[in-house]
Amino acid sequence: PLACSAAQQLSGAEFTIHRTSRGRSAAADTPGPSAAAGTNQDMGPDEVVEVIASHYLAAHEAAPDAEDAAEIKDKAQAMLVRAGQRAESLAAAAEAKRYFEQAAELVEDPSERAALLDSAGEMASRAGDPDAACRLFEESIELHEQQGDTHAAARVMSRLGRVLGRT
């Protein structure tokens, strides 16, 4: 269970997300529909994915040493990726970049982190931020090379070259 001091730091919606992640009904814990927990019938989960991601992230940051911290961290990372994908689908490249970067910070696996940094770099490029795109692509390339994945590194290098060619 979540430590008392950490639970006190969580807002009602964040606590709802935490309780939902523990297998309990969000509707039972909150009065009325809770869009943050994805229970509002008028909104699909994709329409509130950014809110859910932010609440999982806040829950993880509030109690990084809790018994279920790894589970919450994984859920935060997964929801941040979904938020990035949704932002990308809406042509909100700067927002997508931010979500992919946040997801990359939570990932332990270097290959997965490299892929997320590549996605963030692509979004930075689309958002007109070549400096951030270059930084993210270079970090992705380095991780791919450390893993011995030369093909993935080469794909990211081509995207880096495209950005450098425009500046």
Side-chain angles (χ1 to χ4, degrees):
L2 197 62
C4 290
S5 62
Q8 292 169 346
Q9 296 174 19
L10 299 176
S11 72
E14 291 162 343
F15 187 70
T16 298
I17 294 297
H18 179 75
R19 290 184 57 83
T20 301
S21 75
R22 303 286 295 161
R24 296 179 185 93
S25 168
D29 294 333
T30 57
S34 172
T39 59
N40 188 324
Q41 293 179 358
D42 296 334
M43 299 178 117
D46 285 344
E47 294 184 26
V48 294
V49 70
E50 298 90 349
V51 174
I52 295 170
S54 70
H55 288 294
Y56 273 124
L57 186 59
H60 169 68
E61 290 171 350
D65 298 324
E67 180 180 308
D68 59 349
E71 179 184 348
I72 297 297
K73 179 180 171 182
D74 290 345
K75 288 181 180 186
Q77 186 269 331
M79 294 306 291
L80 286 164
V81 170
R82 285 185 56 194
Q85 292 166 340
R86 176 160 166 74
E88 179 181 4
S89 76
L90 297 172
E95 289 297 309
K97 171 196 161 283
R98 184 171 57 87
Y99 290 127
F100 287 134
E101 277 188 291
Q102 287 178 314
E105 290 175 14
L106 297 177
V107 173
E108 302 291 329
D109 177 51
S111 296
E112 190 175 349
R113 180 174 166 78
L116 288 167
L117 291 169
D118 179 26
S119 295
E122 182 61 31
M123 293 301 101
S125 176
R126 290 184 194 176
D129 188 351
D131 294 335
C134 287
R135 174 184 53 80
L136 291 161
F137 286 145
E138 288 169 353
E139 193 174 342
S140 176
I141 291 165
E142 183 178 333
L143 287 168
H144 281 306
E145 288 175 342
Q146 288 173 359
Q147 297 302 302
D149 192 347
T150 56
H151 293 292
R155 284 191 298 274
V156 180
M157 280 183 204
S158 72
R159 286 189 270 285
L160 175 60
R162 187 186 71 227
V163 170
L164 291 173
R166 285 192 242 150
T167 57

